[in-house]
Amino acid sequence: MVGGGGHTTGRLAIIAGRGFLPLYVAQAARRAQDDPYIIALRNEADADFSGFSTQVADIGDARLIEQIVRREGIGRVVMSGGVHKRPDWGSIHPTLRVVFRLPSIVRTLINGGDDAVLRMVIGIFEGMGCRVCGVHEIAPDLVAQTGLLYGPALTDQDRIDIKAGVEAATVLGRLDIGQGAVCVGGRIIALEGAEGTDSMLSRVADLRRSGRISQRKKGVLVKLCKPQQDLRADLPTIGPSTIAALSAAGLSGVAVEAGRSLIVERDAAGELADQHGLFIAGLDLGLDGLGLP
């Protein structure tokens, strides 16, 4: 622990939302000789954390969370997994420190986008003296690299669709709405909202079945960090379920931002992509051609 700057060490707490990502992060932390403590968000966390010290809590229950931080010697916090619901007013139990920030917290919960809410949560943990880490710091093996990672070589049309998808996802992220865009034949046909990537792809599949999208043109999914995004929370994430949804939607592949996106169950996702003839690519927005071969 260091004065004024919070902890530089201390036990790691994983704030666990939906999906398997929190479990993968916990396993990676254990491989790195950490002993992670899981704070499983009520009505959100759905992975099996057997074998890990775990406490179920509401995200707004600052009193309980601060008790855990003090009791367990928590010095570092990482947030992972999806959160579909904002805290109910009845679940918010503030500490005295948080009481003084309630007006800004209320404004953020009512009017703020997802990124603003995540920044607010990070601020609350920092106020407890914790250092908030990114998943990429705890589990660097999940981070996407630049280039074609799996699947067939990109076609000229894939490159056109990726470029259009990057432009759309950048604007979407700047508005703090979502991280993903689907482009088919050079035309943006779907943007990710609060429903998440898999639900957006299900919508694309419905459009394809109804004939609203050409059966001849495939298209791509592009997922990017929001330009203003704090890398300590909600990095774009894909996995086997994404690949299955891409196949069902008739798309040719997915491009994610290299170094700022996660691929969970990488081997399984890559194998599934190969089976369906889909590509997975990592984009470097600072390179000509986006770093694609």
Coordinates of all heavy atoms in Angstrom, one line a residue, residues 79-171:
M79 N -13.1 -5.4 -13.3 CA -14.5 -5.6 -13.6 C -14.5 -6.4 -14.9 O -13.9 -6.1 -15.9 CB -15.2 -4.3 -13.8 CG -15.2 -3.5 -12.5 SD -16.2 -2.0 -12.6 CE -15.3 -1.0 -13.7
S80 N -15.4 -7.5 -14.9 CA -15.5 -8.3 -16.1 C -16.9 -8.9 -16.2 O -17.5 -9.1 -15.2 CB -14.4 -9.4 -16.1 OG -14.6 -10.3 -15.1
G81 N -17.3 -9.2 -17.4 CA -18.6 -9.7 -17.6 C -19.6 -8.7 -17.9 O -19.4 -7.5 -17.7
G82 N -20.8 -9.1 -18.5 CA -21.8 -8.2 -18.8 C -22.7 -7.8 -17.7 O -22.9 -8.6 -16.7
V83 N -23.2 -6.6 -17.7 CA -24.2 -6.1 -16.8 C -25.4 -5.6 -17.6 O -25.3 -4.6 -18.3 CB -23.6 -5.0 -15.9 CG1 -24.7 -4.5 -14.9 CG2 -22.4 -5.5 -15.1
H84 N -26.5 -6.2 -17.4 CA -27.7 -5.9 -18.2 C -28.6 -4.9 -17.6 O -29.3 -4.2 -18.3 CB -28.5 -7.1 -18.5 CG -27.8 -8.1 -19.5 ND1 -28.4 -9.2 -20.0 CD2 -26.6 -8.0 -20.1 CE1 -27.6 -9.9 -20.8 NE2 -26.5 -9.2 -20.9
K85 N -28.5 -4.8 -16.3 CA -29.4 -3.9 -15.6 C -28.6 -2.9 -14.7 O -27.6 -3.2 -14.1 CB -30.4 -4.6 -14.6 CG -31.3 -5.6 -15.4 CD -32.2 -6.3 -14.4 CE -33.2 -7.2 -15.1 NZ -34.1 -7.9 -14.2
R86 N -29.1 -1.6 -14.6 CA -28.5 -0.7 -13.7 C -29.1 -0.9 -12.3 O -30.1 -1.5 -12.2 CB -28.9 0.8 -14.2 CG -28.4 1.0 -15.6 CD -28.4 2.5 -16.0 NE -27.8 2.6 -17.3 CZ -27.3 3.8 -17.7 NH1 -27.4 4.8 -17.0 NH2 -26.8 3.9 -18.9
P87 N -28.3 -0.4 -11.3 CA -28.8 -0.7 -9.9 C -30.2 -0.2 -9.7 O -30.5 0.9 -10.1 CB -27.7 0.1 -9.1 CG -26.6 0.2 -10.0 CD -27.1 0.3 -11.4
D88 N -31.0 -1.0 -9.0 CA -32.3 -0.5 -8.5 C -32.0 0.4 -7.3 O -31.1 0.3 -6.5 CB -33.2 -1.7 -8.0 CG -33.5 -2.6 -9.1 OD1 -33.7 -2.1 -10.3 OD2 -33.5 -3.8 -8.9
W89 N -32.9 1.4 -7.2 CA -32.7 2.4 -6.1 C -32.7 1.7 -4.7 O -31.9 2.0 -3.8 CB -33.8 3.4 -6.1 CG -33.9 4.2 -7.4 CD1 -34.9 4.3 -8.3 CD2 -32.8 5.1 -7.9 NE1 -34.5 5.1 -9.3 CE2 -33.3 5.6 -9.1 CE3 -31.5 5.4 -7.4 CZ2 -32.5 6.4 -9.9 CZ3 -30.8 6.2 -8.2 CH2 -31.2 6.7 -9.4
G90 N -33.5 0.6 -4.6 CA -33.6 -0.1 -3.3 C -32.3 -0.9 -3.0 O -32.1 -1.2 -1.8
S91 N -31.4 -1.1 -4.0 CA -30.2 -1.9 -3.7 C -29.0 -1.0 -3.4 O -27.9 -1.5 -3.2 CB -29.9 -2.7 -5.0 OG -29.5 -1.9 -6.1
I92 N -29.2 0.4 -3.5 CA -28.1 1.3 -3.3 C -28.0 1.6 -1.8 O -28.9 2.2 -1.2 CB -28.3 2.6 -4.0 CG1 -28.3 2.3 -5.6 CG2 -27.2 3.6 -3.7 CD1 -28.5 3.5 -6.4
H93 N -26.9 1.1 -1.2 CA -26.7 1.3 0.3 C -25.3 2.0 0.4 O -24.3 1.4 0.4 CB -26.6 -0.1 1.0 CG -27.9 -0.9 0.8 ND1 -29.1 -0.5 1.3 CD2 -28.1 -2.1 0.2 CE1 -30.0 -1.4 1.0 NE2 -29.4 -2.3 0.3
P94 N -25.4 3.3 0.4 CA -24.1 4.1 0.3 C -23.4 4.1 1.7 O -23.9 4.0 2.7 CB -24.6 5.5 -0.1 CG -26.0 5.6 0.6 CD -26.5 4.2 0.4
T95 N -22.1 4.2 1.5 CA -21.2 4.6 2.7 C -21.3 6.1 2.8 O -21.7 6.8 1.9 CB -19.8 4.1 2.5 OG1 -19.3 4.8 1.3 CG2 -19.7 2.6 2.3
L96 N -20.7 6.6 3.9 CA -20.7 8.1 4.1 C -19.9 8.7 3.0 O -20.3 9.8 2.5 CB -20.0 8.4 5.5 CG -20.1 9.9 5.9 CD1 -21.5 10.4 6.0 CD2 -19.3 10.1 7.2
R97 N -18.8 8.1 2.6 CA -18.0 8.6 1.5 C -18.9 8.8 0.2 O -18.8 9.7 -0.5 CB -16.8 7.7 1.2 CG -15.9 8.2 0.1 CD -14.8 7.2 -0.2 NE -13.9 7.1 1.0 CZ -13.8 6.0 1.7 NH1 -14.7 5.0 1.5 NH2 -13.0 5.9 2.7
V98 N -19.7 7.8 -0.1 CA -20.5 7.8 -1.3 C -21.7 8.7 -1.2 O -22.1 9.3 -2.2 CB -21.0 6.3 -1.6 CG1 -22.0 6.3 -2.7 CG2 -19.9 5.4 -1.9
V99 N -22.2 9.0 0.1 CA -23.3 9.9 0.3 C -23.0 11.2 -0.4 O -23.9 11.8 -1.0 CB -23.7 10.0 1.8 CG1 -24.6 11.2 2.0 CG2 -24.4 8.7 2.2
F100 N -21.8 11.7 -0.2 CA -21.5 13.0 -0.7 C -21.5 13.1 -2.2 O -21.5 14.2 -2.8 CB -20.1 13.5 -0.1 CG -20.1 13.8 1.3 CD1 -19.5 12.9 2.2 CD2 -20.9 14.8 1.9 CE1 -19.5 13.2 3.6 CE2 -20.9 15.1 3.2 CZ -20.2 14.3 4.1
R101 N -21.4 11.9 -2.8 CA -21.4 11.9 -4.3 C -22.7 11.5 -4.9 O -22.9 11.3 -6.1 CB -20.3 10.9 -4.8 CG -18.9 11.2 -4.3 CD -17.9 10.2 -4.7 NE -17.9 10.0 -6.2 CZ -17.2 9.1 -6.8 NH1 -16.5 8.3 -6.1 NH2 -17.2 9.1 -8.1
L102 N -23.8 11.3 -4.0 CA -25.0 10.8 -4.5 C -25.7 11.6 -5.6 O -26.2 11.1 -6.6 CB -26.0 10.6 -3.3 CG -26.0 9.2 -2.6 CD1 -27.0 9.2 -1.5 CD2 -26.3 8.1 -3.6
P103 N -25.7 12.9 -5.5 CA -26.3 13.7 -6.6 C -25.7 13.4 -8.0 O -26.4 13.2 -9.0 CB -26.0 15.2 -6.2 CG -25.9 15.1 -4.7 CD -25.2 13.8 -4.4
S104 N -24.3 13.3 -8.0 CA -23.7 13.0 -9.3 C -24.0 11.5 -9.7 O -24.2 11.2 -10.9 CB -22.2 13.2 -9.3 OG -21.6 12.3 -8.4
I105 N -24.0 10.6 -8.7 CA -24.4 9.2 -9.0 C -25.8 9.1 -9.6 O -26.0 8.4 -10.6 CB -24.2 8.3 -7.7 CG1 -22.7 8.2 -7.4 CG2 -24.8 7.0 -7.9 CD1 -22.5 7.5 -6.0
V106 N -26.7 9.8 -9.0 CA -28.1 9.7 -9.5 C -28.2 10.2 -10.9 O -28.8 9.7 -11.8 CB -29.0 10.5 -8.5 CG1 -30.4 10.7 -9.2 CG2 -29.2 9.8 -7.2
R107 N -27.5 11.4 -11.2 CA -27.5 11.9 -12.5 C -27.0 10.9 -13.5 O -27.5 10.8 -14.7 CB -26.8 13.2 -12.6 CG -27.5 14.4 -12.0 CD -26.8 15.7 -12.4 NE -25.4 15.8 -12.0 CZ -25.0 16.3 -10.8 NH1 -25.9 16.7 -9.9 NH2 -23.7 16.3 -10.5
T108 N -25.9 10.3 -13.2 CA -25.2 9.3 -14.1 C -26.2 8.1 -14.3 O -26.3 7.7 -15.5 CB -23.9 8.8 -13.5 OG1 -23.0 9.9 -13.3 CG2 -23.2 7.8 -14.4
L109 N -26.8 7.6 -13.3 CA -27.7 6.4 -13.5 C -28.9 6.8 -14.3 O -29.4 5.9 -15.1 CB -28.1 5.9 -12.1 CG -27.1 5.2 -11.3 CD1 -27.6 4.8 -9.9 CD2 -26.5 4.0 -12.0
I110 N -29.4 8.0 -14.3 CA -30.5 8.4 -15.0 C -30.2 8.8 -16.5 O -30.8 8.3 -17.4 CB -31.3 9.6 -14.3 CG1 -31.9 9.1 -13.0 CG2 -32.4 10.1 -15.2 CD1 -32.5 10.3 -12.2
N111 N -29.1 9.6 -16.6 CA -28.8 10.2 -17.9 C -27.6 9.6 -18.6 O -27.4 9.8 -19.8 CB -28.7 11.7 -17.7 CG -29.9 12.4 -17.2 OD1 -31.0 12.0 -17.6 ND2 -29.7 13.3 -16.2
G112 N -26.7 9.0 -17.8 CA -25.4 8.6 -18.4 C -25.5 7.4 -19.3 O -26.3 6.5 -19.1
G113 N -24.6 7.3 -20.3 CA -24.5 6.1 -21.1 C -23.7 5.0 -20.3 O -23.3 5.3 -19.1
D114 N -23.5 3.9 -20.9 CA -22.8 2.8 -20.2 C -21.4 3.2 -19.8 O -21.0 2.8 -18.7 CB -22.7 1.6 -21.2 CG -24.1 0.9 -21.4 OD1 -25.0 1.2 -20.6 OD2 -24.2 0.1 -22.3
D115 N -20.7 3.9 -20.7 CA -19.3 4.3 -20.3 C -19.3 5.2 -19.1 O -18.4 5.1 -18.3 CB -18.7 5.0 -21.5 CG -17.2 4.9 -21.5 OD1 -16.6 3.8 -21.3 OD2 -16.6 6.0 -21.6
A116 N -20.3 6.1 -19.0 CA -20.3 7.0 -17.9 C -20.6 6.3 -16.6 O -20.0 6.5 -15.6 CB -21.4 8.1 -18.1
V117 N -21.5 5.3 -16.7 CA -21.8 4.5 -15.5 C -20.6 3.7 -15.0 O -20.2 3.6 -13.8 CB -23.0 3.5 -15.8 CG1 -23.2 2.5 -14.6 CG2 -24.3 4.3 -16.0
L118 N -19.8 3.1 -16.0 CA -18.6 2.3 -15.6 C -17.6 3.2 -15.0 O -16.9 2.8 -14.1 CB -18.1 1.6 -16.9 CG -18.9 0.4 -17.4 CD1 -18.5 0.0 -18.8 CD2 -18.9 -0.7 -16.4
R119 N -17.4 4.4 -15.5 CA -16.4 5.4 -15.0 C -16.8 5.7 -13.5 O -16.0 5.9 -12.7 CB -16.3 6.6 -15.8 CG -15.5 6.4 -17.1 CD -15.1 7.7 -17.7 NE -16.2 8.7 -17.9 CZ -16.9 8.7 -19.1 NH1 -16.5 7.9 -20.1 NH2 -17.8 9.6 -19.2
M120 N -18.2 5.9 -13.3 CA -18.6 6.1 -12.0 C -18.3 5.0 -11.0 O -17.8 5.2 -9.9 CB -20.2 6.3 -12.0 CG -20.8 6.6 -10.6 SD -22.6 6.3 -10.7 CE -22.6 4.5 -10.7
V121 N -18.5 3.8 -11.4 CA -18.2 2.6 -10.6 C -16.7 2.5 -10.3 O -16.3 2.3 -9.2 CB -18.7 1.3 -11.3 CG1 -18.2 0.1 -10.5 CG2 -20.2 1.3 -11.4
I122 N -15.9 2.8 -11.3 CA -14.4 2.8 -11.1 C -14.1 3.9 -10.1 O -13.2 3.6 -9.2 CB -13.7 3.1 -12.5 CG1 -13.8 1.9 -13.4 CG2 -12.2 3.5 -12.2 CD1 -13.2 2.2 -14.8
G123 N -14.7 5.0 -10.1 CA -14.4 6.1 -9.2 C -14.7 5.7 -7.8 O -14.0 6.1 -6.8
I124 N -15.8 4.9 -7.6 CA -16.2 4.5 -6.3 C -15.2 3.5 -5.7 O -14.8 3.7 -4.5 CB -17.6 3.8 -6.3 CG1 -18.7 4.9 -6.6 CG2 -17.9 3.1 -5.0 CD1 -20.1 4.3 -6.8
F125 N -14.7 2.6 -6.5 CA -13.6 1.7 -6.0 C -12.3 2.5 -5.7 O -11.6 2.2 -4.7 CB -13.4 0.6 -7.0 CG -14.4 -0.5 -6.9 CD1 -15.4 -0.7 -7.8 CD2 -14.3 -1.4 -5.8 CE1 -16.3 -1.7 -7.7 CE2 -15.3 -2.4 -5.7 CZ -16.3 -2.6 -6.6
E126 N -12.0 3.4 -6.6 CA -10.8 4.2 -6.3 C -10.9 5.0 -5.0 O -9.9 5.2 -4.3 CB -10.5 5.1 -7.5 CG -10.0 4.3 -8.7 CD -9.8 5.2 -9.9 OE1 -10.4 6.3 -10.0 OE2 -8.9 4.9 -10.7
G127 N -12.2 5.4 -4.7 CA -12.4 6.1 -3.4 C -12.2 5.2 -2.2 O -12.0 5.7 -1.1
M128 N -12.3 3.9 -2.4 CA -12.0 3.0 -1.3 C -10.5 2.6 -1.2 O -10.1 1.8 -0.4 CB -12.8 1.7 -1.6 CG -14.3 1.8 -1.5 SD -15.1 0.2 -1.9 CE -16.8 0.7 -2.0
G129 N -9.7 3.3 -2.1 CA -8.2 3.0 -2.0 C -7.8 1.9 -2.9 O -6.6 1.5 -2.8
C130 N -8.6 1.4 -3.8 CA -8.2 0.3 -4.6 C -7.7 0.8 -6.0 O -8.1 1.8 -6.5 CB -9.4 -0.6 -4.9 SG -10.2 -1.4 -3.5
R131 N -6.8 0.0 -6.6 CA -6.4 0.3 -7.9 C -7.2 -0.6 -8.9 O -7.3 -1.8 -8.7 CB -4.9 -0.1 -8.1 CG -4.4 0.3 -9.6 CD -2.9 0.1 -9.7 NE -2.5 -1.3 -9.9 CZ -2.5 -1.9 -11.1 NH1 -2.9 -1.2 -12.2 NH2 -2.1 -3.1 -11.2
V132 N -7.9 0.1 -9.8 CA -8.8 -0.6 -10.7 C -8.0 -1.0 -12.0 O -7.4 -0.2 -12.6 CB -10.0 0.2 -11.2 CG1 -10.9 -0.6 -12.1 CG2 -10.8 0.6 -9.9
C133 N -7.9 -2.3 -12.2 CA -7.1 -2.9 -13.3 C -8.0 -3.2 -14.5 O -9.2 -3.4 -14.4 CB -6.4 -4.2 -12.9 SG -5.5 -4.1 -11.3
G134 N -7.4 -3.3 -15.7 CA -8.1 -3.9 -16.8 C -7.9 -5.4 -16.9 O -6.9 -5.9 -16.5
V135 N -8.9 -6.0 -17.6 CA -8.8 -7.5 -17.8 C -7.5 -7.8 -18.6 O -6.8 -8.8 -18.3 CB -10.0 -8.0 -18.6 CG1 -9.8 -9.4 -19.1 CG2 -11.3 -7.9 -17.8
H136 N -7.1 -6.9 -19.5 CA -5.9 -7.2 -20.3 C -4.6 -7.2 -19.4 O -3.6 -7.8 -19.8 CB -5.7 -6.1 -21.3 CG -5.6 -4.7 -20.8 ND1 -6.7 -4.0 -20.3 CD2 -4.6 -3.8 -20.7 CE1 -6.3 -2.8 -19.9 NE2 -5.1 -2.7 -20.2
E137 N -4.7 -6.6 -18.2 CA -3.5 -6.7 -17.3 C -3.5 -8.0 -16.5 O -2.4 -8.5 -16.2 CB -3.6 -5.5 -16.3 CG -3.5 -4.1 -16.8 CD -3.7 -3.1 -15.8 OE1 -2.8 -3.0 -14.9 OE2 -4.7 -2.4 -15.8
I138 N -4.7 -8.5 -16.2 CA -4.8 -9.8 -15.5 C -4.7 -11.0 -16.4 O -4.1 -12.0 -16.0 CB -6.1 -9.8 -14.7 CG1 -6.2 -8.5 -13.8 CG2 -6.2 -11.0 -13.8 CD1 -5.2 -8.3 -12.8
A139 N -5.3 -10.9 -17.5 CA -5.3 -12.1 -18.5 C -4.9 -11.6 -19.9 O -5.7 -11.6 -20.8 CB -6.7 -12.6 -18.5
P140 N -3.6 -11.3 -20.0 CA -3.1 -10.8 -21.3 C -3.3 -11.8 -22.5 O -3.3 -11.4 -23.6 CB -1.6 -10.5 -21.1 CG -1.3 -11.3 -19.9 CD -2.5 -11.4 -19.0
D141 N -3.4 -13.1 -22.2 CA -3.5 -14.1 -23.2 C -4.9 -14.0 -23.9 O -5.1 -14.6 -25.0 CB -3.3 -15.5 -22.7 CG -4.2 -15.8 -21.5 OD1 -4.4 -15.0 -20.6 OD2 -4.8 -16.9 -21.4
L142 N -5.8 -13.3 -23.3 CA -7.2 -13.1 -24.0 C -7.2 -12.0 -25.0 O -8.1 -11.9 -25.8 CB -8.2 -12.8 -22.9 CG -8.5 -13.9 -21.8 CD1 -9.6 -13.4 -20.9 CD2 -8.8 -15.2 -22.5
V143 N -6.1 -11.1 -25.0 CA -6.1 -10.0 -25.9 C -5.9 -10.3 -27.4 O -5.0 -11.1 -27.7 CB -5.1 -8.9 -25.4 CG1 -5.0 -7.7 -26.3 CG2 -5.3 -8.5 -24.0
A144 N -6.7 -9.7 -28.3 CA -6.6 -10.0 -29.7 C -5.3 -9.3 -30.2 O -5.0 -8.2 -29.9 CB -7.8 -9.5 -30.4
Q145 N -4.6 -10.1 -31.1 CA -3.5 -9.5 -31.8 C -3.8 -9.0 -33.2 O -5.0 -9.2 -33.7 CB -2.4 -10.6 -32.0 CG -1.8 -11.1 -30.7 CD -2.6 -12.1 -30.0 OE1 -3.3 -13.0 -30.7 NE2 -2.7 -12.1 -28.7
T146 N -2.9 -8.3 -33.8 CA -3.1 -7.7 -35.2 C -3.0 -8.8 -36.3 O -2.2 -9.6 -36.2 CB -2.1 -6.6 -35.4 OG1 -2.2 -5.6 -34.4 CG2 -2.4 -5.9 -36.8
G147 N -3.9 -8.7 -37.3 CA -3.8 -9.5 -38.5 C -4.9 -10.5 -38.5 O -5.8 -10.5 -37.8
L148 N -4.8 -11.4 -39.5 CA -5.7 -12.5 -39.7 C -5.4 -13.6 -38.7 O -4.3 -14.2 -38.7 CB -5.7 -13.1 -41.1 CG -6.6 -14.2 -41.4 CD1 -8.1 -13.8 -41.3 CD2 -6.3 -14.8 -42.8
L149 N -6.3 -13.8 -37.7 CA -6.0 -14.8 -36.6 C -6.5 -16.2 -36.9 O -5.9 -17.2 -36.6 CB -6.7 -14.2 -35.3 CG -6.3 -12.8 -35.0 CD1 -7.0 -12.3 -33.7 CD2 -4.8 -12.7 -34.8
Y150 N -7.7 -16.3 -37.6 CA -8.3 -17.6 -37.9 C -9.0 -17.4 -39.2 O -9.5 -16.4 -39.5 CB -9.2 -18.1 -36.8 CG -8.6 -18.3 -35.5 CD1 -8.6 -17.4 -34.5 CD2 -7.9 -19.5 -35.2 CE1 -8.0 -17.6 -33.2 CE2 -7.3 -19.7 -34.0 CZ -7.4 -18.7 -33.0 OH -6.8 -19.0 -31.8
G151 N -9.2 -18.6 -39.9 CA -10.1 -18.6 -41.0 C -9.4 -18.2 -42.4 O -8.2 -18.0 -42.4
P152 N -10.3 -18.1 -43.4 CA -9.8 -17.9 -44.8 C -9.2 -16.5 -45.0 O -9.6 -15.6 -44.2 CB -11.0 -18.2 -45.6 CG -12.2 -17.8 -44.7 CD -11.7 -18.2 -43.4
A153 N -8.5 -16.3 -46.0 CA -8.0 -15.0 -46.4 C -9.2 -14.1 -46.7 O -10.2 -14.5 -47.2 CB -7.1 -15.1 -47.6
L154 N -9.0 -12.8 -46.4 CA -10.0 -11.8 -46.7 C -10.2 -11.5 -48.1 O -9.2 -11.5 -48.9 CB -9.7 -10.5 -45.9 CG -9.4 -10.5 -44.4 CD1 -9.2 -9.2 -43.9 CD2 -10.6 -11.2 -43.7
T155 N -11.4 -11.3 -48.6 CA -11.7 -10.9 -49.9 C -11.7 -9.4 -50.0 O -11.7 -8.7 -49.0 CB -13.1 -11.4 -50.4 OG1 -14.1 -10.7 -49.6 CG2 -13.2 -12.9 -50.2
D156 N -11.7 -8.8 -51.2 CA -11.8 -7.4 -51.4 C -13.0 -6.8 -50.8 O -13.0 -5.8 -50.2 CB -11.7 -7.0 -52.9 CG -10.3 -7.3 -53.5 OD1 -9.3 -7.4 -52.7 OD2 -10.2 -7.4 -54.7
Q157 N -14.1 -7.6 -50.9 CA -15.4 -7.1 -50.3 C -15.3 -7.1 -48.8 O -15.9 -6.2 -48.2 CB -16.6 -8.0 -50.8 CG -17.9 -7.5 -50.4 CD -18.2 -6.1 -50.9 OE1 -18.2 -5.9 -52.1 NE2 -18.5 -5.1 -50.0
D158 N -14.7 -8.1 -48.2 CA -14.5 -8.1 -46.8 C -13.8 -6.8 -46.3 O -14.2 -6.2 -45.3 CB -13.7 -9.3 -46.3 CG -14.4 -10.7 -46.5 OD1 -15.6 -10.7 -46.4 OD2 -13.7 -11.7 -46.6
R159 N -12.8 -6.4 -47.1 CA -12.0 -5.2 -46.7 C -12.9 -4.0 -46.8 O -12.8 -3.1 -45.9 CB -10.8 -5.1 -47.5 CG -9.8 -6.2 -47.3 CD -8.6 -6.2 -48.3 NE -7.8 -7.4 -48.3 CZ -6.9 -7.6 -47.4 NH1 -6.6 -6.7 -46.5 NH2 -6.2 -8.8 -47.4
I160 N -13.7 -3.9 -47.8 CA -14.6 -2.8 -48.0 C -15.6 -2.7 -46.8 O -15.8 -1.7 -46.2 CB -15.4 -2.9 -49.3 CG1 -14.4 -2.7 -50.5 CG2 -16.5 -1.9 -49.4 CD1 -15.0 -3.0 -51.8
D161 N -16.1 -3.9 -46.4 CA -17.1 -4.0 -45.3 C -16.5 -3.6 -44.0 O -17.1 -3.0 -43.2 CB -17.7 -5.4 -45.3 CG -18.7 -5.6 -46.5 OD1 -19.1 -4.6 -47.1 OD2 -19.0 -6.8 -46.7
I162 N -15.2 -4.1 -43.8 CA -14.5 -3.8 -42.6 C -14.3 -2.3 -42.4 O -14.5 -1.7 -41.4 CB -13.2 -4.6 -42.5 CG1 -13.4 -6.1 -42.3 CG2 -12.3 -4.0 -41.4 CD1 -12.2 -6.9 -42.4
K163 N -13.8 -1.7 -43.5 CA -13.6 -0.2 -43.4 C -14.9 0.5 -43.1 O -14.9 1.4 -42.2 CB -13.0 0.3 -44.8 CG -12.7 1.7 -44.8 CD -12.1 2.2 -46.1 CE -11.8 3.7 -46.1 NZ -11.3 4.2 -47.4
A164 N -16.0 0.2 -43.7 CA -17.2 0.8 -43.4 C -17.7 0.6 -42.0 O -18.2 1.4 -41.3 CB -18.3 0.4 -44.4
G165 N -17.5 -0.7 -41.6 CA -17.8 -1.0 -40.2 C -17.0 -0.3 -39.2 O -17.5 0.1 -38.1
V166 N -15.7 -0.1 -39.4 CA -14.9 0.7 -38.5 C -15.4 2.1 -38.4 O -15.5 2.7 -37.3 CB -13.4 0.7 -39.0 CG1 -12.6 1.8 -38.3 CG2 -12.8 -0.6 -38.8
E167 N -15.8 2.8 -39.5 CA -16.3 4.1 -39.5 C -17.6 4.2 -38.7 O -17.8 5.1 -37.8 CB -16.5 4.6 -40.9 CG -15.3 4.8 -41.7 CD -15.5 5.1 -43.2 OE1 -16.7 5.2 -43.6 OE2 -14.5 5.4 -43.9
A168 N -18.5 3.2 -38.9 CA -19.8 3.2 -38.2 C -19.6 2.9 -36.7 O -20.2 3.6 -35.8 CB -20.7 2.2 -38.8
A169 N -18.7 2.0 -36.3 CA -18.5 1.6 -34.9 C -17.8 2.7 -34.2 O -18.1 3.0 -33.0 CB -17.7 0.3 -34.8
T170 N -17.0 3.5 -34.9 CA -16.3 4.6 -34.2 C -17.3 5.7 -33.9 O -17.3 6.3 -32.7 CB -15.2 5.2 -35.2 OG1 -14.3 4.2 -35.4 CG2 -14.6 6.4 -34.5
V171 N -18.2 6.0 -34.8 CA -19.3 7.0 -34.5 C -20.2 6.5 -33.4 O -20.6 7.3 -32.5 CB -20.1 7.4 -35.8 CG1 -21.3 8.3 -35.5 CG2 -19.2 8.0 -36.8

